[in-house]
């Protein structure tokens, strides 16, 4: 079975496509690949900066706008519960010339018992600002931040078939599909750690159906 469908849309759209069957996908970037990534280059009129107090509402707005949460209140509650104490170090934003956040990504380390996983989480670009390379810029910045925070560690990424339009971006950065590895993350429901399955074979079947798109 081929590992990569060849004509999935590029990263011009990070909206979730919930018309597809949901299948969990785990991707991995080796440390040596992450260390070679060139600095991000946002489009003219944008820049990248870290979280500052008050950005939790912007994170909630961005993530809700792409369909990750059904309402901003739930997204903000999740952010405050999981990220707020370390957000300034781990959460990045692309902002406009007016300092309005329009894209985000987070570098995070999940730990459960003896398991430790460095992860790229919650890459999202507000719909009105998609198609300008901001997804690439913010994901690259977050990976480079991960290299500084945890030198020598591979970086994991959880995604899904609903995010098929972003898969080419992740592949082009150096992430590769994992066939067996699972991943743990904090649940949206606030019930602690959640282990996401690796549905590689099923996900590839769904993605191959997009060849005609």
């Amino acid at each position: 079975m081929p590992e990569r469908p060849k004509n999935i849309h590029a990263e011009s759209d990070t909206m979730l496509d919930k018309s597809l069957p949901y299948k969990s996908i785990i991707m991995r970037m080796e440390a040596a690949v992450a260390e070679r990534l060139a600095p991000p280059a946002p489009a003219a009129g944008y820049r990248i900066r870290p979280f500052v107090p008050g950005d939790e509402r912007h994170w909630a707005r961005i993530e809700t706008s792409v369909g990750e949460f059904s309402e901003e209140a739930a997204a903000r509650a999740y952010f405050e519960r999981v990220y707020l104490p370390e957000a300034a170090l781990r959460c990045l934003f692309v902002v406009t010339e007016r300092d309005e956040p329009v894209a985000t990504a987070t570098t995070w380390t999940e730990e459960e018992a003896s398991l430790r996983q460095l992860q790229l989480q919650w890459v999202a670009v507000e719909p009105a600002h998609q198609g300008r390379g901001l997804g690439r810029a913010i994901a690259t910045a977050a990976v480079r931040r991960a290299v500084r925070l945890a030198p020598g560690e591979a970086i994991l990424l959880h995604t899904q078939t609903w995010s098929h339009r972003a898969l080419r971006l992740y592949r082009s950065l150096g992430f590769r599909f994992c066939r067996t590895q699972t991943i743990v993350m904090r649940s949206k429901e606030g019930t602690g750690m959640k282990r996401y399955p690796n549905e590689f074979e099923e996900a590839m079947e769904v993605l191959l159906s997009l060849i005609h798109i």
Side-chain angles (χ1 to χ4, degrees):
M1 179 178 294
E3 184 184 3
R4 177 191 179 196
K6 295 186 182 300
N7 57 348
I8 295 172
H9 285 178
E11 57 90 17
S12 59
D13 190 348
T14 57
M15 294 285 287
L16 298 182
D17 181 0
K18 296 184 179 181
S19 68
L20 298 176
Y22 176 95
K23 296 298 177 182
S24 179
I25 299 171
I26 315 299
M27 303 185 78
R28 175 186 175 102
M29 181 187 289
E30 300 302 330
V33 176
E35 291 164 0
R36 293 195 299 266
L37 276 184
Y46 298 92
R47 63 184 176 87
I48 295 172
R49 66 159 173 78
F51 172 96
V52 297
D55 278 344
E56 55 268 31
R57 69 180 187 275
H58 297 299
W59 188 93
R61 171 178 50 79
I62 295 167
E63 295 295 344
T64 303
S65 75
V66 299
E68 289 285 4
F69 292 84
S70 60
E71 56 182 24
E72 291 185 26
R76 181 166 178 169
Y78 177 90
F79 184 92
E80 291 176 348
R81 182 174 67 251
V82 176
Y83 295 130
L84 201 51
E86 297 186 47
L89 181 64
R90 297 179 176 274
C91 186
L92 298 173
F93 291 91
V94 174
V95 298
T96 65
E97 292 176 332
R98 296 183 177 182
D99 200 41
E100 176 191 7
V102 295
T104 186
T106 299
T107 296
W108 198 251
T109 300
E110 298 286 15
E111 297 186 65
E112 183 185 53
S114 61
L115 178 67
R116 172 186 168 91
Q117 294 181 333
L118 179 64
Q119 299 177 14
L120 173 63
Q121 299 180 350
W122 300 106
V123 179
V125 181
E126 196 172 34
H129 296 267
Q130 291 177 6
R132 305 176 191 181
L134 302 186
R136 175 175 297 277
I138 194 64
T140 300
V143 168
R144 287 171 58 87
R145 174 65 59 94
V147 170
R148 294 196 296 273
L149 292 174
E153 291 191 29
I155 303 168
L156 295 178
L157 164 69
H158 176 258
T159 185
Q160 60 275 319
T161 46
W162 289 354
S163 295
H164 63 88
R165 296 185 180 98
L167 292 178
R168 182 172 290 174
L169 164 63
Y170 300 141
R171 287 277 299 177
S172 69
L173 290 176
F175 283 94
R176 296 294 179 261
F177 294 119
C178 298
R179 291 177 177 268
T180 58
Q181 184 162 6
T182 58
I183 198 169
V184 295
M185 291 180 65
R186 313 294 175 90
S187 72
K188 291 182 181 180
E189 299 77 20
T191 55
M193 300 297 287
K194 178 177 180 179
R195 184 175 294 272
Y196 288 85
N198 189 331
E199 300 176 299
F200 173 79
E201 298 291 346
E202 298 94 331
M204 293 304 104
E205 290 294 337
V206 172
L207 296 176
L208 285 170
S209 71
L210 301 174
I211 288 176
H212 66 281
I213 294 179

